[in-house]
């Protein structure tokens, strides 16, 4: 059954007439997920929706994808990227189909419809954990790129430090303050997600710039014979290396998480039947970027590929204008993350408000609540970025917990609950999603913990 089969024809033309929240349900109050107050808004375009969803998908997770090739090899790695794209499409289709059946207009309302008050609250908590963690990572990477970092014990100079030398005004804290006040705060003040369509388009373009430069460098080095074809298959020599294959799952899950923004984008589309092609177009675009970034990033650095491939561009590339290309890669990606920030922040603010004020009028209609929630969350993220040292521990945690719940476990659970009796063979796929998500992430957490314990046991005698 398709999305269009469930939505009445009179509701397809304009999102302004989509007022379909069931007022008789005590767990679905009139809240910020409704479109009240925007009668002058004529509806978001298909292109704008694709850019907004693509920007939600392509974040900092792309930097870890070349490292997944180092673990899986090119063939299995690319196959996993494609497989996760199809699985993500299926999970989003679950969300949209059951939202149409239950006449709900947000992810939280859908969980409330299926599991009651505590289902909605659990969903909102997962969005908070995932998005706050991701935004802190974004801000840390921006600080690392522009101002440098010494978290590994070795100082890596930032772009501004390399250009102008060490000064107080290009120090980490001051740069993050300027970025927060000058870029994040203004962009976070938009009350409609469609208002970010132009910054989203620029964000996607900057990700493509990063990709084009990486591809160009790899091709030049390949022609000159300074790099070799990397491994096609994983290097499995013992049980430990086998379990390590599963550590890439949280990274791949995080790379495709966009479910918390799908309803917001759907609500603003003029024609609700467009959401399915919007999702598939965005997933196809992002998968192409992911595959090319993974392939050429791994081709360029081979087994020296770091968990954050951006850190590899701190070295001499061994080609003409290598230093200039290094800076171009890092600056383009830092600018990309700056423009991704408001897209991820939008659902974070909605879910925080929904958690604190579940029965209040829509957030967009309360300037006081909107301002306090925005300022409070941005301050929390800023403090986290200045006091949390490791970004990849945060990625492993959010990917193995909140992200996997948002992306696969919750959509599958709603399908198995089947409150409106519309699931058929979907339940088989839903069970597969839950089993794969739980098993893979338990193994990933175990493998990471075991590797950390083994590393500590080796280093302790020499301390």
């Amino acid at each position: 059954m398709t999305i269009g089969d469930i939505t009445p024809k009179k509701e397809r033309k304009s999102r302004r007439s989509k007022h379909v929240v069931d007022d008789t349900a005590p767990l679905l109050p009139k809240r910020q997920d409704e479109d009240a107050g925007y009668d002058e808004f004529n509806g978001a375009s298909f292109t704008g929706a694709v850019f907004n969803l693509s920007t939600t998908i392509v974040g900092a997770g792309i930097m870890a994808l070349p490292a997944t090739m180092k673990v899986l090899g090119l063939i299995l790695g690319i196959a996993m990227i494609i497989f996760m794209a199809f699985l993500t499409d299926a999970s989003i289709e679950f969300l949209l189909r059951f939202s149409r059946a239950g006449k709900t207009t947000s992810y939280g309302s859908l969980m409330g419809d299926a599991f009651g008050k505590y289902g909605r609250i659990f969903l909102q908590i997962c969005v908070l954990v995932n998005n706050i963690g991701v935004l802190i990572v974004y801000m840390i990477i921006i600080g690392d790129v522009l101002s440098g970092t010494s978290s590994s014990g070795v100082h890596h100079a930032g772009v501004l430090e390399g250009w102008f030398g060490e000064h107080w005004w290009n120090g980490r804290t001051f740069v993050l303050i300027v970025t927060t006040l000058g870029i994040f705060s203004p962009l976070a003040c938009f009350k409609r997600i469609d208002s970010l369509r132009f910054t989203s388009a620029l964000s996607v373009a900057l990700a493509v710039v990063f990709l084009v430069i990486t591809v160009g460098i790899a091709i030049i080095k390949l022609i000159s014979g300074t790099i070799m074809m990397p491994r096609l298959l994983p290097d499995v020599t013992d049980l430990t290396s086998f379990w390590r294959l599963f550590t890439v799952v949280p990274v791949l899950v995080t790379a495709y998480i966009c479910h918390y923004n799908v309803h917001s984008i759907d609500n603003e589309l003029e024609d609700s039947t467009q959401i399915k092609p919007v999702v598939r177009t965005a997933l196809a675009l992002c998968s192409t970027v992911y595959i090319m970034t993974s392939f050429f990033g791994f081709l360029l650095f081979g087994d020296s590929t770091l968990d954050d491939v951006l850190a590899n561009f701190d070295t001499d590339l061994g080609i003409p204008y290598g230093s200039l290309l290094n800076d171009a890669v890092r600056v383009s990606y830092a600018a990309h993350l700056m423009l991704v920030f408001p897209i991820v922040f939008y659902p974070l603010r909605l879910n925080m408000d929904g958690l604190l004020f579940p029965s209040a009028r829509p957030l967009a209609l309360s300037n006081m609540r909107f301002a306090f929630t925005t300022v409070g969350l941005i301050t929390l993220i800023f403090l986290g970025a200045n006091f949390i040292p490791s970004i990849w521990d945060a990625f492993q945690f959010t990917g193995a917990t909140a992200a996997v719940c948002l992306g696969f476990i919750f959509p599958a659970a709603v399908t198995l609950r089947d409150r409106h009796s519309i699931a058929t063979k979907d339940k088989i796929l839903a069970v597969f999603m839950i089993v794969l998500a739980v098993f893979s992430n338990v193994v990933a957490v175990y493998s990471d913990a075991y590797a950390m314990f083994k590393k500590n046991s080796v280093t302790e005698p020499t301390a």
Side-chain angles (χ1 to χ4, degrees), residues 325-347:
L325 292 173
N326 273 336
D327 288 347
V329 165
R330 292 191 288 171
V331 170
S332 64
Y333 193 71
H336 165 74
L337 289 183
M338 291 178 188
L339 299 180
V340 173
F341 188 98
I343 286 288
V344 179
F345 186 84
Y346 184 89

Side-chain angles (χ1 to χ4, degrees), residues 213-247:
I213 296 175
T214 303
V215 170
I217 295 171
I219 290 175
I220 291 172
K221 292 183 69 97
L222 192 62
I223 292 174
S224 64
T226 55
I227 55 176
M228 302 297 291
M229 192 65 182
R231 282 184 293 104
L232 298 179
L233 296 173
D235 184 17
V236 179
T237 57
D238 53 23
L239 190 60
T240 301
S241 60
F242 172 75
W243 291 124
R244 187 167 175 264
L245 298 178
F246 293 91
T247 61

Side-chain angles (χ1 to χ4, degrees), residues 21-62:
V21 176
D22 184 2
D23 293 328
T24 64
L27 300 177
L28 303 175
K30 296 178 183 178
R31 297 173 44 222
Q32 63 269 26
D33 47 59
E34 297 180 5
D35 296 321
Y38 294 115
D39 288 339
E40 75 281 1
F41 179 50
N42 294 321
S45 67
F46 178 88
T47 304
V50 169
F51 280 133
N52 279 334
L53 191 59
S54 298
T55 302
T56 306
I57 297 171
V58 180
I62 190 176

Side-chain angles (χ1 to χ4, degrees), residues 343-359:
I343 286 288
V344 179
F345 186 84
Y346 184 89
L348 170 62
R349 178 174 50 209
L350 278 182
N351 281 275
M352 174 63 82
D353 184 73
L355 190 63
L356 297 178
F357 309 102
S359 299

Side-chain angles (χ1 to χ4, degrees), residues 273-302:
T273 61
Q274 288 186 325
I275 186 60
K276 194 168 184 177
V278 162
V279 170
R280 291 188 171 176
T281 303
L283 286 173
L285 174 63
C286 294
S287 297
T288 302
V289 171
Y290 282 171
I291 290 171
M292 294 185 69
T293 301
S294 303
F295 176 81
F296 287 101
F298 186 39
L299 178 65
L300 188 57
F301 299 111

